[in-house]
């Protein structure tokens, strides 16, 4: 026995490569064990949440919700079946807790960032496009920028945007009237509303009128493409890996659209920096606010943190791109969902109409803020 073990050790000592291999394999084994244990632990904790039937063990619930009317009805059905929350598997490893009830959502939204950190998997798909804007940034950068952006949402600035929203909606209504007069009885509102919200945003963020609701705009098309590509990538588990994704035609398309969008934002920032006065910034601002031409880019260019430091061009681009994305997608989805439900439930539609008419009684349409 003794001589045997001597023999074995002697061989190992004689070959450092074997030793290295041994260390490597044990390290890998330890990692796999630690990972399995933590995964098992997570699964145990998730057991307290109800779980809708999966497609199978590998895909989990991936692909069960399509971007269609059926998808929305399926989600609505989830909410009415499970009420508060349910557990949702995106592939074999990644669980998502879907929260439906406002009283359950509230504590999550109020929780400090240290307790409820941002998602890192799905948000990473947006990173090359949106950079370190408010949506994706965290920690000190997030809180400092959050404070710096507060003036952009002052009531006096937002008030002037109502006219822009109104103009964009008027364009959409005119289009709908035209389509109806040409005999259309059904239309996919989401596309129209997305264009309308993007039109409004481009005017509010950049003071740029691309007339995108009437004629194709390269920039707006790129934003719509990026949003669609991110949603598609989410559904394709192998595409979650960057190195695979950027080898595919979709990944290439994503890169190209990112370049186009960044180029647009960069050009506006450069142009605006040139026209910005070195002194008398306050008067310049006041004049712009008075003429109602102050936009998001102006506010970003002029804002300072508590040490008097301004945002870099890269930061400004990230915030502007973030609001172009965050502002159009959520609003368009919300508005479409509201209109869909009002169309389905005429009695509520009537109540809303009455309420609006009550509020607007004795007021000129021009005065609405
Ligand atoms: C970027 O924008 C400039 C001017 O706005 C344009 O001349 C140039 O072709 C654009 N480049 C790309 C890659 O889109
Ligand atoms: C909104 O548009 C309508 C229709 O053109 C117009 O009558 C109204 O005055 C506008 N309201 C505002 C606040 O711009």
């Amino acid at each position: 026995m003794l001589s045997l073990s001597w023999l074995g050790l002697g061989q190992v000592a004689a070959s450092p490569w074997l030793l290295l291999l041994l260390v490597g394999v044990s390290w890998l084994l330890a990692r796999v064990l630690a990972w399995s244990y933590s995964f098992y632990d997570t699964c145990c904790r998730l057991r307290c949440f109800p779980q809708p039937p999966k497609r199978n063990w590998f895909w989990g619930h991936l692909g069960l919700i399509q971007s269609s009317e059926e998808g929305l009805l399926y989600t609505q059905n989830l909410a009415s079946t499970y009420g508060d929350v349910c557990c949702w598997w995106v592939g074999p490893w990644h669980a998502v807790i879907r929260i439906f009830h406002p009283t359950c959502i509230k504590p999550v939204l109020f929780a400090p960032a240290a307790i409820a950190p941002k998602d890192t998997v799905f948000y990473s798909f947006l990173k090359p496009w949106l950079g370190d804007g408010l949506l994706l940034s965290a920690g000190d950068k997030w809180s400092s920028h959050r404070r710096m952006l507060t003036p952009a949402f002052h009531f006096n600035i937002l008030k002037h945007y109502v006219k822009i929203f109104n103009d964009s909606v008027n364009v959409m209504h005119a289009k709908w009237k035209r389509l109806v007069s040409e005999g259309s009885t059904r239309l996919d509102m989401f596309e129209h509303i997305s264009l309308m919200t993007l039109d409004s945003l481009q005017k509010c963020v950049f003071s740029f009128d691309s007339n995108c609701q009437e004629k194709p705009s390269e920039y707006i098309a790129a934003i719509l493409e990026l949003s669609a590509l991110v949603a598609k990538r989410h559904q394709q588990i192998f595409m979650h890996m960057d190195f695979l994704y950027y080898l595919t035609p979709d990944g290439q398309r994503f890169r190209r659209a990112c370049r186009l969008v960044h180029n647009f934002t960069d050009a506006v920032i450069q142009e605006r920096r040139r026209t910005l006065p070195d002194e008398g910034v306050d008067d310049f601002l006041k004049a712009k606010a008075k003429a109602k031409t102050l936009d998001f880019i102006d506010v970003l260019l002029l804002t300072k943190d508590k040490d008097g430091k301004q945002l870099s061009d890269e930061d400004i681009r990230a915030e502007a791109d973030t609001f172009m994305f965050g502002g159009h997608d959520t609003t368009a989805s919300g508005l479409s969902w509201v209109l869909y439900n009002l169309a389905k439930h005429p009695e509520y539609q009537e109540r809303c109409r009455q309420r609006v008419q009550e509020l607007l009684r004795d007021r000129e349409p021009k005065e609405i803020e």
Side-chain angles (χ1 to χ4, degrees):
M1 282 302 281
L2 195 70
S3 66
L4 251 182
S5 74
W6 259 113
L7 194 72
L9 260 182
Q11 259 174 3
V12 167
S15 161
W17 294 116
L18 203 64
L19 194 67
L20 210 63
L21 190 74
L22 214 68
V23 171
V25 168
S26 344
W27 177 82
L28 207 68
L29 207 68
R31 285 295 296 259
V32 169
L33 278 175
W35 184 86
S36 310
Y37 179 74
S38 108
F39 181 67
Y40 172 76
D41 187 48
T42 308
C43 289
C44 291
R45 287 160 189 242
L46 288 173
R47 250 180 238 145
C48 63
F49 299 110
Q51 190 172 290
K54 284 187 193 177
R55 273 173 68 190
N56 57 42
W57 71 270
F58 184 75
W59 298 109
H61 300 95
L62 199 70
L64 285 177
I65 301 181
Q66 298 294 334
S67 299
S68 62
E69 185 170 348
E70 288 71 35
L72 282 175
L73 294 177
Y74 179 86
T75 315
Q76 199 178 27
N77 189 36
L78 279 184
S80 56
T81 310
Y82 299 98
D84 295 335
V85 287
C86 75
C87 179
W88 188 262
W89 286 90
V90 180
W93 321 124
H94 207 91
V96 171
I97 304 297
R98 301 181 82 93
I99 313 180
F100 303 115
H101 202 279
T103 51
C104 301
I105 295 172
K106 192 174 162 187
V108 179
L109 294 183
F110 274 93
I115 294 178
K118 293 185 179 186
D119 161 70
T120 49
V121 178
F122 305 119
Y123 274 9
S124 71
F125 305 161
L126 292 164
K127 194 98 183 175
W129 169 20
L130 305 182
D132 244 350
L134 275 192
L135 181 66
L136 305 184
S137 62
D140 290 343
K141 182 161 191 175
W142 177 83
S143 42
S144 140
H145 284 197
R146 176 68 189 78
R147 267 195 302 275
M148 289 168 88
L149 259 58
T150 308
F153 297 91
H154 191 280
F155 185 63
N156 282 332
I157 290 186
L158 298 184
K159 233 161 54 176
H160 303 310
Y161 291 162
V162 174
K163 186 173 177 322
I164 295 180
F165 300 161
N166 194 42
D167 291 345
S168 302
V169 172
N170 285 341
V171 174
M172 183 175 72
H173 281 165
K175 224 163 67 175
W176 286 357
K177 278 192 190 134
R178 203 169 58 229
L179 285 169
V180 169
S181 75
E182 284 164 3
S184 303
T185 50
R186 293 170 69 95
L187 54 93
D188 184 348
M189 287 197 165
F190 184 65
E191 281 171 27
H192 292 249
I193 295 179
S194 296
L195 279 179
M196 183 272 290
T197 54
L198 282 165
D199 195 11
S200 298
L201 277 165
Q202 209 179 5
K203 291 171 188 162
C204 298
V205 174
F206 301 108
S207 299
F208 192 94
D209 186 357
S210 63
N211 195 19
C212 65
Q213 296 193 76
E214 297 287 2
K215 66 175 181 49
S217 146
E218 230 188 358
Y219 169 72
I220 297 296
I223 293 189
L224 288 171
E225 185 176 31
L226 287 170
S227 313
L229 284 172
V230 168
K232 184 174 171 195
R233 183 175 177 190
H234 187 215
Q235 302 278 344
Q236 302 171 318
I237 199 155
F238 295 111
M239 294 296 116
H240 289 188
M241 288 172 279
D242 272 349
F243 76 96
L244 275 183
Y245 186 64
Y246 289 112
L247 289 175
T248 64
D250 275 353
Q252 300 287 324
R253 240 175 260 140
F254 187 85
R255 279 243 161 91
R256 206 162 36 232
C258 262
R259 270 202 301 273
L260 202 142
V261 168
H262 290 166
N263 195 28
F264 175 86
T265 312
D266 285 339
V268 176
I269 296 171
Q270 295 316 322
E271 175 62 25
R272 210 60 73 77
R273 274 221 192 276
R274 278 198 313 114
T275 55
L276 210 65
D278 292 333
E279 285 165 34
V281 164
D282 281 347
D283 290 340
F284 172 80
L285 256 182
K286 273 197 202 116
K288 267 208 143 185
K290 197 150 174 241
K292 302 181 184 173
T293 55
L294 193 71
D295 62 21
F296 193 54
I297 291 286
D298 289 323
V299 177
L300 292 174
L301 277 168
L302 296 169
T303 189
K304 289 184 179 128
D305 68 8
K306 55 184 189 309
D307 306 321
K309 215 173 114 235
Q310 294 192 323
L311 292 173
S312 68
D313 283 2
E314 200 188 336
D315 287 338
I316 294 177
R317 185 178 85 189
E319 299 302 352
D321 289 346
T322 295
F323 276 84
M324 282 304 294
F325 167 66
H328 94 268
D329 200 52
T330 48
T331 330
S333 307
L335 287 173
S336 305
W337 182 234
V338 167
L339 290 177
Y340 174 83
N341 280 300
L342 288 177
K344 286 259 174 189
H345 305 280
E347 64 283 11
Y348 287 97
Q349 191 178 137
E350 193 44 43
R351 270 170 65 181
C352 288
R353 183 173 290 114
Q354 276 173 14
R355 180 96 180 100
V356 171
Q357 277 165 354
E358 258 167 51
L359 281 169
L360 298 187
R361 192 174 297 141
D362 308 324
R363 286 172 75 178
E364 289 290 325
K366 278 199 293 296
E367 293 167 9
I368 300 164
E369 299 182 324

